[in-house]
Amino acid sequence: MPILLFLIDTSASMNQRTDLGTSYLDIAKGAVELFLKLRARDPASRGDRYMLVTYDEPPYCIKAGWKENHATFMSELKNLQASGLTTLGQALRSSFDLLNLNRLISGIDNYGQGRNPFFLEPSILITITDGNKLTSTAGVQEEVICPGVAFAWTGFYGTRASRECTN
């Protein structure tokens, strides 16, 4: 039963229009919708659970959690609006916190007792963004900053990117 978490950029820059007149956010919504339709055809997808997270401030960034049904997920997806800042670091932090919470509740992570490898539940985080400048209330930034962490990275290519965000 894999969890597929969709992290959708809902910053104001996603209101940009393509030459066909479609906004970037509408393209992102269509991509998620198409992905879900194609995934539903695969018999292996029967146990899939989907989550929808945006770039809004927590806890408002969680639009559909792992307990929501497919109709709720699709309704929240259709209702997404683009406004605000491109806070990728905070959005990633919220996404990983949500996934870790799910692992804790489902018994996959037993702190102090180690992990249960036979309870393996793969999680896939799919991020859709226009890739514009990273912004925050402090201004434009050149690197992703994960709140509560003493380091920052400029690319997602090394071992530093796989390091968990912890306080």
Side-chain angles (χ1 to χ4, degrees):
M1 288 181 44
I3 295 177
L4 288 93
L5 188 146
F6 292 93
L7 177 59
I8 309 294
D9 184 350
T10 53
S11 63
S13 62
M14 292 293 281
N15 280 326
Q16 295 178 76
R17 301 269 176 201
T18 65
D19 56 347
L20 299 175
T22 309
S23 74
Y24 287 0
L25 184 59
D26 290 336
I27 292 171
K29 291 177 189 179
V32 172
E33 230 175 295
L34 179 63
F35 178 88
L36 293 178
K37 284 180 186 175
L38 294 175
R39 180 75 181 150
R41 293 180 187 170
D42 185 4
S45 71
R46 292 182 192 263
D48 287 357
R49 294 185 295 164
Y50 302 103
M51 295 185 201
L52 183 63
V53 178
T54 64
Y55 280 30
D56 294 334
E57 292 292 321
Y60 307 108
C61 60
I62 302 167
K63 301 300 182 186
W66 65 85
K67 293 183 178 181
E68 309 292 341
N69 61 24
H70 185 72
T72 303
F73 180 93
M74 294 306 288
S75 172
E76 290 295 330
L77 179 67
K78 289 181 190 299
N79 292 330
L80 290 180
Q81 298 293 319
S83 64
L85 303 172
T86 307
T87 53
L88 179 60
Q90 181 63 49
L92 284 172
R93 171 72 187 255
S94 299
S95 299
F96 285 120
D97 285 348
L98 186 61
L99 288 172
N100 285 336
L101 179 64
N102 173 60
R103 295 174 81 113
L104 184 62
I105 290 172
S106 63
I108 292 173
D109 279 340
N110 293 320
Y111 291 104
Q113 299 173 356
R115 281 206 170 146
N116 296 324
F118 50 89
F119 283 143
L120 181 65
E121 182 176 46
S123 299
I124 302 164
L125 190 133
I126 302 166
T127 304
I128 301 177
T129 181
D130 62 350
N132 255 345
K133 293 281 187 186
L134 302 171
T135 55
S136 69
T137 54
V140 177
Q141 34 189 82
E142 295 297 322
E143 55 190 18
V144 175
I145 298 173
C146 197
V149 178
F151 68 90
W153 61 86
T154 55
F156 291 102
Y157 301 111
T159 57
R160 296 184 77 176
S162 63
R163 196 166 160 189
E164 287 190 13
C165 297
T166 59
N167 284 335

